[in-house]
Amino acid sequence: MKETTKPVVSPGMSAGSYLSVLLIGSYLGALFVKSEVANWQRIHDMFLFREAHMYLIISVAILVAAISMFIIKRLGIKSIEGKPIIYKPKPFHTGVVIGGMLFGAGWSITGACPGPIYAQIGAGEWMALLTLIGAMLGMFAYAYLKPRLP
């Protein structure tokens, strides 16, 4: 008698889900590079109020996100894990202001917020590896200091 074993299913994402995330992330990275969202000069010019390119892109992104959230809420779309997607606004406090100022300073110096770092590395801008290391150090510092922050 042949014994059959069922494959072990680990909790979390499936291989297909990881592949979907990789493909969507690659598309988003290519979009960042082609639209120059990951271009240091564009970011620099945005912070100096020299051109509206980045402001227009950010405005379109906010509009698309708002419409997407409306559709998700209206249709009751669920996450990959099958859980309902619920928007929970973060409470406002002084840490939001301090964190926002640090985020903006890092963005203006490096020319990248977390998403474009990977696009810059993928486009061959190897100095973005230093930005990635800095972002990782900031993430670990935040996790360590979080209980002591306002």
Side-chain angles (χ1 to χ4, degrees), residues 61-114:
I62 290 170
L63 182 65
V64 169
I67 292 170
S68 299
M69 288 302 296
F70 174 78
I71 292 171
I72 287 169
K73 192 174 182 179
R74 185 67 122 171
L75 300 178
I77 295 174
K78 297 186 178 187
S79 69
I80 291 174
E81 294 93 19
K83 296 177 183 172
I85 299 172
I86 301 170
Y87 172 69
K88 294 179 188 171
K90 301 278 184 187
F92 183 80
H93 53 81
T94 55
V96 173
V97 175
I98 295 168
M101 291 171 63
L102 287 171
F103 182 85
W107 191 12
S108 66
I109 292 168
T110 63
C113 58

Side-chain angles (χ1 to χ4, degrees), residues 5-140:
T5 58
K6 290 184 176 180
V8 177
V9 178
S10 64
M13 292 176 44
S14 67
S17 296
Y18 280 112
L19 181 62
S20 297
V21 169
L22 180 65
L23 291 174
I24 292 170
S26 297
Y27 173 75
L28 191 60
L31 188 67
F32 283 171
V33 171
K34 291 292 181 188
S35 66
E36 299 186 357
V37 168
N39 180 302
W40 184 87
Q41 190 63 51
R42 290 282 188 187
I43 304 297
H44 185 71
D45 289 344
M46 173 186 74
F47 281 107
L48 293 177
F49 301 107
R50 287 185 183 160
E51 63 179 30
H53 181 87
M54 289 297 297
Y55 294 112
L56 293 172
I57 289 176
I58 291 169
S59 298
V60 170
I62 290 170
L63 182 65
V64 169
I67 292 170
S68 299
M69 288 302 296
F70 174 78
I71 292 171
I72 287 169
K73 192 174 182 179
R74 185 67 122 171
L75 300 178
I77 295 174
K78 297 186 178 187
S79 69
I80 291 174
E81 294 93 19
K83 296 177 183 172
I85 299 172
I86 301 170
Y87 172 69
K88 294 179 188 171
K90 301 278 184 187
F92 183 80
H93 53 81
T94 55
V96 173
V97 175
I98 295 168
M101 291 171 63
L102 287 171
F103 182 85
W107 191 12
S108 66
I109 292 168
T110 63
C113 58
I117 293 172
Y118 301 105
Q120 289 175 341
I121 293 170
E125 294 182 29
W126 301 113
M127 290 299 286
L129 287 170
L130 295 175
T131 307
L132 178 63
I133 291 169
M136 298 299 278
L137 290 173
M139 179 185 69
F140 286 118

